[in-house]
Amino acid sequence: MKYFVIICILIISLSGISCNSSKITRNQISKEPHSINSKLLERLSTISKAGFAFGQQDGTAYGLNWYLNDGSVGLNSDLKKVTGKLPAVIGFDLGHLEHDNIYNLDTVAFALIKQQTIEINRLGGIVSYSWHADNPVSKGSSWDTTEAVHDILYDERIKNKFNLWIERLSIFFKSLKDDDNQFIPVIFRPFHEMNGSWFWWGKKNCTKEDYVELWRYTVERFKYHGVQNLIYAFSPNTMNDVKDFDDYYPGDDYVDILGVDIYNHSGNTRFIESLNMNLSILKRKSEEKDMPFALTETGNMRMGSDSSWWTETLYPALHNSGITWVLVWRNARRDHYFGTFPGEKSAPNFKKFTNYPDVLMLSDLH
């Protein structure tokens, strides 16, 4: 018996496999009781029982007619200027961090992103990162649809480049620590909208099998570099049916949160129909997998012409839906914005929207 115990200890330490030969998966580790990731997942579950957290991409970094620089102190947002409240969820993008650049693809300094991530976490908010990585083969943008996924997996030169990119992101993730020197858990949403074809990882630019392998490989590379604070969110574009989910899903061991990105490209009526159908798919999947789900990207493509969109279109579809958060895209300029701002046509309606008891801004999360 003594020798059996010794052998078991050696197996555990060397291979990560228990004595009953069941492998400890990455997902099990991320949800281990008292881990920083499990605490965030528990918070998200609690939020969904009270309502849904509201967020915006780059919402505290810039807005209409203002822009923060690296070293700026304090948090502001267009939404706060309208309501007096900060968003509960802030999204940032890590595109160009793979090149070790100072600024991301939207000219936000990574130092500012890190600083604001720490501050948002201190205030009880949630941070979600997307990654519009450049095409590693063509050196074009994310929207350069030159095939690249297969090369990342099977061409050593491209794989080595991608590995360096993951290493650079790993350094950033491991630098996110709170006042107690503990890692800050963040949501990471890579390779999104894969069932569309506008990104190099999209459906016409790689096989479903290669997409799944890319996702798993990416997760394993972060694990290799000792990254412990990522909550992985899987988010297709508007799904036509459950097949759009199943075809690209990397597996429960590689995903923590389910999401979908839906905009009202085809008008509000179609948007509501698609939103209801897509969220019903996610709700079924979340119940099967015991994972939270979210509307990870959305927005009104006709902002400025619809004064009641928040309460008459968006809210009815989200009320009692079970989502844990919703994130609208960024306020880049007057011809490209998805949140409101002072003087904008829907600002009074957005203020009404945020006063509903189940719409949770940052101050509502305490």
Side-chain angles (χ1 to χ4, degrees):
M1 181 66 185
K2 177 175 70 174
Y3 298 108
F4 175 75
V5 172
I6 292 171
I7 291 170
C8 285
I9 293 171
L10 287 172
I11 290 173
I12 292 169
S13 62
L14 294 175
S15 66
I17 299 174
S18 68
C19 295
N20 64 6
S21 298
S22 64
K23 191 168 186 256
I24 299 174
T25 65
R26 187 212 63 79
N27 192 262
Q28 287 172 328
I29 293 171
S30 75
K31 296 180 181 179
E32 185 177 318
H34 311 302
S35 73
I36 56 170
N37 290 356
S38 69
K39 290 176 183 177
L40 177 55
L41 289 169
E42 287 167 8
R43 280 195 72 207
L44 294 173
S45 178
T46 301
I47 288 169
S48 68
K49 292 170 184 166
F52 55 89
F54 188 87
Q56 184 175 27
Q57 184 75 5
D58 288 346
T60 53
Y62 57 84
L64 270 293
N65 302 317
W66 64 276
Y67 197 100
L68 295 183
N69 296 312
D70 178 19
S72 299
V73 178
L75 297 174
N76 207 343
S77 80
D78 283 340
L79 305 185
K80 182 181 178 182
K81 292 177 181 181
V82 170
T83 67
K85 304 174 184 177
L86 285 166
V89 181
I90 297 296
F92 294 112
D93 199 89
L94 300 180
H96 293 181
L97 182 57
E98 67 269 16
H99 304 307
D100 209 20
N101 285 7
I102 295 174
Y103 299 96
N104 77 356
L105 77 167
D106 297 316
T107 68
V108 181
F110 290 112
L112 180 67
I113 293 174
K114 175 181 173 180
Q115 173 191 321
Q116 292 205 343
T117 296
I118 294 169
E119 180 62 15
I120 291 162
N121 177 74
R122 183 183 295 119
L123 295 173
I126 297 163
V127 175
S128 174
Y129 290 123
S130 51
W131 184 25
H132 285 86
D134 282 349
N135 188 309
V137 171
S138 68
K139 301 180 183 179
S141 72
S142 289
W143 294 267
D144 183 326
T145 55
T146 302
E147 292 185 6
V149 174
H150 192 78
D151 286 350
I152 290 172
L153 298 173
Y154 302 108
D155 182 304
E156 285 303 311
R157 183 177 63 86
I158 302 301
K159 176 181 281 190
N160 288 338
K161 176 191 285 190
F162 186 76
N163 287 348
L164 177 60
W165 290 5
I166 295 296
E167 182 178 1
R168 287 169 172 163
L169 265 68
S170 297
I171 293 169
F172 177 81
F173 287 133
K174 290 193 291 185
S175 75
L176 302 175
K177 293 189 176 182
D178 63 19
D179 295 337
D180 297 320
N181 203 36
Q182 298 297 307
F183 289 122
I184 295 172
V186 293
I187 296 158
F188 184 48
R189 191 171 64 96
F191 312 129
H192 62 302
E193 301 175 6
M194 74 301 295
N195 55 327
S197 297
W198 40 88
F199 296 128
W200 54 260
W201 56 82
K203 69 176 181 179
K204 290 185 179 178
N205 311 312
C206 67
T207 66
K208 292 173 285 190
E209 294 78 12
D210 279 356
Y211 176 85
V212 168
E213 186 58 31
L214 172 67
W215 183 289
R216 293 177 177 177
Y217 181 78
T218 299
V219 171
E220 293 298 336
R221 289 304 297 183
F222 280 122
K223 182 179 176 182
Y224 170 81
H225 286 291
V227 177
Q228 305 172 27
N229 53 331
L230 298 187
I231 301 289
Y232 292 90
F234 172 76
S235 61
N237 192 56
T238 308
M239 296 177 282
N240 294 314
D241 52 45
V242 72
K243 192 172 184 296
D244 276 344
F245 181 100
D246 291 337
D247 282 350
Y248 297 94
Y249 186 65
D252 294 354
D253 292 340
Y254 296 89
V255 175
D256 300 292
I257 295 173
L258 310 177
V260 67
D261 297 358
I262 306 178
Y263 291 80
N264 65 340
H265 293 282
S266 301
N268 287 339
T269 300
R270 179 61 183 149
F271 172 74
I272 293 170
E273 293 171 354
S274 294
L275 194 51
N276 287 332
M277 188 269 285
N278 276 254
L279 292 184
S280 69
I281 291 174
L282 288 189
K283 187 171 185 177
R284 290 199 307 272
K285 292 293 185 180
S286 75
E287 290 170 350
E288 292 171 7
K289 301 173 183 301
D290 191 25
M291 295 181 189
F293 67 106
L295 181 54
T296 42
E297 258 190 60
T298 194
N300 181 5
M301 303 299 295
R302 297 166 181 80
M303 288 292 286
S305 62
D306 189 345
S307 62
S308 60
W309 188 78
W310 302 104
T311 62
E312 301 301 318
T313 299
L314 184 63
Y315 181 75
L318 301 187
H319 178 59
N320 289 331
S321 65
I323 66 168
T324 190
W325 83 84
V326 54
L327 183 137
V328 296
W329 209 237
R330 62 200 191 104
N331 283 6
R333 52 189 184 273
R334 286 190 175 269
D335 62 346
H336 185 81
Y337 67 93
F338 295 92
T340 189
F341 52 89
E344 194 269 332
K345 189 172 185 178
S346 73
N349 187 250
F350 181 77
K351 189 171 183 178
K352 179 181 177 181
F353 168 78
T354 58
N355 284 331
Y356 290 153
D358 55 343
V359 180
L360 308 176
M361 302 295 276
L362 180 57
S363 58
D364 300 314
L365 295 188
H366 299 297

